[in-house]
Amino acid sequence: DAGITQSPRHKVTETGTPVTLRCHQTENHRYMYWYRQDPGHGLRLIHYSYGVKDTDKGEVSDGYSVSRSKTEDFLLTLESATSSQTSVYFCAISEIPHDSYNQPQHFGDGTRLSIL
Amino acid sequence: SQQGEEDPQALSIQEGENATMNCSYKTSINNLQWYRQNSGRGLVHLILIRSNEREKHSGRLRVTLDTSKKSSSLLITASRAADTASYFCATSMTTDSWGKLQFGAGTQVVVTP
């Protein structure tokens, strides 16, 4: 298994509180991604990073921010959590050669976040 | 909006039978990938098929790709109880960069002994 650790694995919090999820990798991969998974929607991309301090928005970025100060860590922050952000959050990593997009992503085991 | 749509949404079969699931997508792709997700776990990459390939095998898995129909199929032969999982297709679109993928909603497969 790829060395990807997500923390915490489970969290319950209240509406309006800030929440930070952490993704840590030991593979030295350049690309990192945050997804959320909801029933009937598959995985939807929230934010991604293509290098240290290089991040961009995905499909469902409203209400989320990210930071990547080191290759190995990618943080996802909910500044003021809402009930609609209750979901399972997955981090993924990838290493893409400059001449090919044909590489898989490797996933962590997710964080189950409940916002009451 | 989802690029990939899987069909069926759910599939129930007995051990030893074959399982087939399909994926349709909307725009041109670099490649199409299939992933498996066991309950409570992250996604695991199964197989990647490039846009210029038509068929690919990996163990008991067979993937086909028809770019003219914008569709792919995943066949699991001689299924086992351990194949019980959700299966997702994901596409790397030619309009996307940085290795981004678009995932479908998945097919839930249950294999009974």
Side-chain angles (χ1 to χ4, degrees):
Chain A
D1 289 346
I4 307 168
T5 304
Q6 291 188 234
S7 59
R9 291 296 315 279
H10 303 272
K11 186 173 182 66
V12 180
T13 190
E14 294 184 346
T15 300
T17 60
V19 177
T20 296
L21 308 183
R22 180 183 184 231
C23 178
H24 178 78
Q25 60 141 332
T26 58
E27 305 296 321
N28 201 36
H29 281 3
R30 178 180 173 188
Y31 301 90
M32 299 185 75
Y33 312 86
W34 276 109
Y35 294 91
R36 61 178 288 173
Q37 184 176 35
D38 304 289
H41 287 278
L43 273 76
R44 292 181 291 175
L45 183 65
I46 305 171
H47 281 279
Y48 62 99
S49 171
Y50 45 95
V52 173
K53 292 186 169 54
D54 291 323
T55 66
D56 206 349
K57 297 177 180 180
E59 179 187 356
V60 290
S61 60
D62 287 349
Y64 302 94
S65 63
V66 290
S67 66
R68 191 167 178 203
S69 59
K70 299 184 289 184
T71 298
E72 57 266 36
D73 288 326
F74 193 30
L75 303 180
L76 176 70
T77 297
L78 291 65
E79 300 290 348
S80 178
T82 68
S83 59
S84 65
Q85 294 175 312
T86 291
S87 187
V88 182
Y89 291 85
F90 287 96
C91 173
I93 65 174
S94 183
E95 190 58 67
I96 305 165
H98 70 279
D99 59 347
S100 172
Y101 289 109
N102 297 309
Q103 296 294 323
Q105 292 183 9
H106 305 281
F107 286 79
D109 279 336
T111 293
R112 187 172 294 275
L113 179 62
S114 296
I115 301 165
L116 307 177
Chain B
S1 63
Q2 288 172 204
Q3 158 78 331
E5 299 282 346
E6 283 100 337
D7 171 62
Q9 292 185 342
L11 184 59
S12 185
I13 57 175
Q14 292 194 317
E15 270 192 328
E17 294 181 338
N18 295 341
T20 299
M21 60 210 84
N22 304 295
C23 172
S24 60
Y25 58 92
K26 298 173 183 174
T27 61
S28 61
I29 59 173
N30 296 309
N31 64 69
L32 186 144
Q33 305 180 29
W34 286 92
Y35 290 80
R36 183 188 75 233
Q37 184 181 33
N38 292 97
S39 181
R41 302 298 301 275
L43 278 70
V44 174
H45 180 259
L46 294 176
I47 197 164
L48 181 154
I49 186 164
R50 302 181 184 206
S51 60
N52 61 354
E53 297 176 317
R54 292 297 167 256
E55 188 170 314
K56 206 160 183 181
H57 297 256
S58 176
R60 294 183 295 111
L61 305 180
R62 172 179 172 256
V63 168
T64 62
L65 178 65
D66 187 334
T67 53
S68 67
K69 295 181 179 178
K70 291 186 169 60
S71 68
S72 173
S73 68
L74 171 66
L75 168 67
I76 305 172
T77 60
S79 62
R80 306 166 181 169
D83 294 327
T84 294
S86 292
Y87 293 82
F88 295 88
C89 69
T91 51
S92 168
M93 297 193 295
T94 55
T95 53
D96 268 340
S97 55
W98 311 120
K100 289 188 290 183
L101 297 175
Q102 300 277 338
F103 284 85
T107 294
Q108 190 169 8
V109 176
V110 175
V111 182
T112 54

